Amino acid sequence: MPDHTPGQASDQDNPFLDPEVASLTEEMIEESAEEALNLGSYSDEEIAALVFEGQDRPVPLPWLDTLEPQERELAVAMGMRSLTVRGLVEALPLDDVQGTIRQTSPAEVWALLGMRRHAPSTVVAERTTTLGTDWIVLYEQEQDRWLAEFITVQGFHEFVLAAAEDTALALMAWSGVDAQTPAPDFDVRLAVEEVQGQDPRLEPVGQALVAVTLSRMESSAPEEVSFSGLYSGPEGSYLSRREQDGLIRFRGEGFDGVEAFVRTLLRAS
């Protein structure tokens, strides 16, 4: 693969336009139609070393964000060292006097970063349980595929590329949705202030063991973000969505209803 400097403006030096990267991305998209593809795991500090502020979508970095600025800088430097040892980054000297370098990476790294950076829409799922908070960030791809970035509370990022149907089922399982539990008989509409005030009518929802906040953003209109919620526990699952009149509706849903909702959430742009 030719040497590339990340972030350069010219097409000739843009690694995301490299024919090898484009071919590999297309190949992975095709392969993921049959089964989900695991595209590797990275730590917080490795992700921070790979991505570029202002160009890549920011994601939670739960371990890195606990550090002081100087500690964070050192950790990111160690992340770059780790990437180098793993063969995922190579720093080639450009000017020995000025100490400048050119950062290069294998095609599979640029393919992964390209799928993150150029997704037309992004869905963020934030899960809260008694064990803490973790996330899945979903990036829309061609041919009804989604790249999932699973982020643990310890600060590890695992990437899986799969068809929308498989992605929806994985998201539901991660959210604690049980196919054997019937839909709760529950349908309540509340104002935002009532929800924020923990209205007593929401007590059944509050007993859920897993609470997931879902947001979707289109790259063409990043300021417009849609929000919803998915809550699951022994009594079943509940969905929350904002209605056209501004009220938030909480409704009990069975497995099929939740699946239909998640598939709509993962609709193509």
Side-chain angles (χ1 to χ4, degrees):
M1 179 179 179
D3 295 344
H4 293 302
T5 302
Q8 286 187 330
S10 68
D11 289 353
Q12 183 178 0
D13 294 322
N14 188 336
F16 301 114
L17 299 179
D18 188 288
E20 183 180 355
V21 174
S23 177
L24 179 59
T25 301
E26 183 178 347
E27 179 181 328
M28 291 191 296
I29 292 291
E30 293 293 338
E31 289 182 4
S32 63
E34 300 298 328
E35 61 179 353
L37 296 181
N38 190 311
L39 301 186
S41 299
Y42 298 79
S43 65
D44 269 4
E45 58 271 32
E46 289 176 331
I47 290 293
L50 277 173
V51 302
F52 303 91
E53 294 183 8
Q55 299 182 54
D56 294 294
R57 189 191 191 287
V59 298
L61 301 170
W63 177 77
L64 204 60
D65 288 343
T66 65
L67 304 181
E68 297 296 329
Q70 288 186 333
E71 295 173 324
R72 183 186 179 101
E73 184 177 343
L74 177 60
V76 174
M78 293 303 295
M80 181 62 74
R81 170 61 178 164
S82 174
L83 291 167
T84 302
V85 171
R86 293 172 60 189
L88 300 177
V89 165
E90 183 179 4
L92 303 176
L94 285 180
D95 189 315
D96 292 335
V97 176
Q98 297 183 8
T100 55
I101 62 172
R102 165 173 288 183
Q103 177 182 323
T104 69
S105 291
E108 55 265 27
V109 173
W110 293 120
L112 175 64
L113 294 177
M115 284 189 279
R116 290 175 89 255
R117 179 179 293 190
H118 303 128
S121 64
T122 307
V123 173
V124 179
E126 179 176 321
R127 178 176 69 175
T128 303
T129 68
T130 55
L131 299 178
T133 302
D134 54 358
W135 301 262
I136 302 178
V137 183
L138 300 169
Y139 307 91
E140 182 188 359
Q141 306 300 315
E142 297 179 356
Q143 301 184 37
D144 204 27
R145 309 286 196 273
W146 287 81
L147 173 68
E149 180 174 355
F150 292 82
I151 306 173
T152 70
V153 67
Q154 295 84 9
F156 291 98
H157 304 240
E158 181 176 1
F159 293 90
V160 177
L161 179 65
E165 181 179 357
D166 294 334
T167 302
L169 293 175
L171 177 58
M172 290 169 62
W174 182 83
S175 302
V177 179
D178 186 354
Q180 305 304 318
T181 305
D185 184 14
F186 188 85
D187 196 345
V188 173
R189 291 177 174 82
L190 298 171
V192 174
E193 296 76 16
E194 292 175 312
V195 175
Q196 293 174 341
Q198 299 181 342
D199 190 285
R201 287 171 287 180
L202 287 178
E203 182 179 356
V205 180
Q207 294 177 352
L209 300 179
V210 181
V212 178
T213 300
L214 299 159
S215 60
R216 173 165 173 150
M217 180 186 70
E218 310 296 329
S219 60
S220 59
E223 70 285 352
E224 299 178 8
V225 183
S226 62
F227 292 95
S228 54
L230 174 56
Y231 313 86
S232 299
E235 302 303 318
S237 297
Y238 305 86
L239 288 172
S240 68
R241 285 172 281 190
R242 187 184 291 272
E243 304 275 82
Q244 291 185 348
D245 58 7
L247 296 179
I248 299 178
R249 183 183 186 184
F250 291 81
R251 179 174 177 174
E253 290 285 2
F255 185 88
D256 291 343
V258 175
E259 183 178 15
F261 164 77
V262 174
R263 284 304 308 268
T264 299
L265 182 69
L266 300 182
R267 70 192 184 280
S269 296

